Amino acid sequence: MSRRISPVIPGFGLTLGYTLVYLSLIVLIPLAAMFVHAAQLTWDQFWAIISAPRVWAALKLSFSTALYAALINGVIGTLLAWVLVRYTFPGRKIIDAMIDLPFALPTAVAGIALTALYAPSGLVGQFATDMGFKIAYTPLGITLALTFVTLPFVVRTVQPVLADIPREIEEAAACLGAKPWQVFRYILVPALLPAWLTGFALAFARGVGEYGSVIFIAGNMPMKTEILPLLIMVKLDQYDYTGATSIGVLMLVVSFVLLLLINLLQRRIERP
């Protein structure tokens, strides 16, 4: 006689209902409200706001620094994941735990610490000043802050995939005469690339919207080191809710398009 086993989680209909309600309250309704508020403007008014030189300068700075930070972490994060997975050494667990520090550390604290370190009078910044360039209050400082904040995304997405790759496959390839670069190109890269793209997309998305760790080290000079989230805050402080909403819509659309392209590329790579 068969005995029916009750599932641990309720049925599909109930769980899907809770999921849609939660997603709507947290994500969909706030985003829809932003588009509804921006829809009160005519196209000419909306275009006049988002095409302002100050907005485009902030947009270019935010997306370019987020892209550079994601690319840097794509290399450094993969290297860190490789070291943590493939080698055993004293202090390995401490380094592994420190990678998650940007998740736990308030971003404003990170921004203050980075500014104190890389400012012209800071421990590192003074040497940069002696060599004729600045780190803090420049796009380079913003990129460093975003690199610090987004590092865990690449490491934590690549690390488990790398750990699941049997080392016997690499050893077998080496025994068959494959050179190290061939093992990397034909064995490791195909296995790691989807996870790497996921970590890159997460790091890029976090970098575009980052605020707390950037405002201190950026200097916040319009047309030079003013990021887009800060410009939105400036609009809100001036009670220009329409301008802030319009810039937010622009930021959301551009981010969505870029992430969509990354996801399409990832699916194409994963397709056999």
Side-chain angles (χ1 to χ4, degrees):
M1 182 176 179
S2 62
R3 183 179 179 181
R4 183 178 179 181
I5 300 176
S6 299
V8 176
I9 300 178
F12 172 75
L14 183 61
T15 53
L16 179 62
Y18 277 115
T19 300
L20 293 178
V21 170
Y22 183 81
L23 183 65
S24 299
L25 293 175
I26 301 300
V27 179
L28 299 181
I29 293 178
L31 294 181
M34 185 171 63
F35 278 95
V36 170
H37 189 81
Q40 298 175 4
L41 299 172
T42 64
W43 171 252
D44 293 336
Q45 292 173 330
F46 179 77
W47 179 254
I49 293 174
I50 65 173
S51 62
R54 185 177 178 182
V55 174
W56 279 104
L59 178 71
K60 181 180 178 181
L61 179 66
S62 295
F63 280 87
S64 62
T65 52
L67 177 63
Y68 294 147
L71 290 174
I72 292 172
N73 281 330
V75 177
I76 303 300
T78 304
L79 180 61
L80 282 173
W82 176 274
V83 171
L84 292 174
V85 171
R86 293 303 176 90
Y87 300 103
T88 301
F89 53 91
R92 175 177 170 273
K93 292 185 177 180
I94 297 177
I95 295 177
D96 193 18
M98 289 178 61
I99 291 175
D100 293 326
L101 188 61
F103 283 150
L105 188 68
T107 55
V109 175
I112 294 173
L114 292 172
T115 304
L117 183 63
Y118 294 111
S121 59
L123 182 62
V124 177
Q126 60 182 344
F127 296 105
T129 303
D130 293 338
M131 289 185 289
F133 68 96
K134 294 173 59 177
I135 298 178
Y137 318 128
T138 66
L140 176 59
I142 298 174
T143 303
L144 286 176
L146 295 181
T147 303
F148 171 81
V149 172
T150 60
L151 175 63
F153 290 99
V154 176
V155 177
R156 294 313 184 201
T157 52
V158 172
Q159 187 175 0
V161 177
L162 186 60
D164 288 339
I165 299 177
R167 300 191 64 175
E168 290 78 7
I169 297 178
E170 302 173 41
E171 295 173 355
C175 292
L176 293 174
K179 297 180 180 180
W181 69 268
Q182 292 176 320
V183 174
F184 177 79
R185 169 64 179 84
Y186 295 104
I187 296 178
L188 295 179
V189 169
L192 292 178
L193 190 56
W196 188 90
L197 286 174
T198 300
F200 173 84
L202 292 174
F204 175 75
R206 170 65 187 276
V208 168
E210 178 59 26
Y211 177 77
S213 64
V214 176
I215 55 172
F216 296 103
I217 199 171
N220 309 323
M221 293 178 287
M223 305 295 296
K224 293 183 179 180
T225 59
E226 184 179 50
I227 59 173
L228 208 56
L230 176 63
L231 184 56
I232 293 175
M233 292 299 299
V234 171
K235 295 288 186 181
L236 293 175
D237 291 338
Q238 297 173 349
Y239 301 101
D240 185 6
Y241 301 115
T242 302
T245 304
S246 301
I247 297 173
V249 169
L250 172 65
M251 192 174 182
L252 178 63
V253 171
V254 175
S255 300
F256 177 79
V257 171
L258 291 176
L259 291 177
L260 179 62
L261 293 176
I262 293 174
N263 287 331
L264 291 176
L265 177 62
Q266 181 180 5
R267 290 189 177 184
R268 185 174 181 180
I269 292 174
E270 291 178 343
R271 188 179 304 168

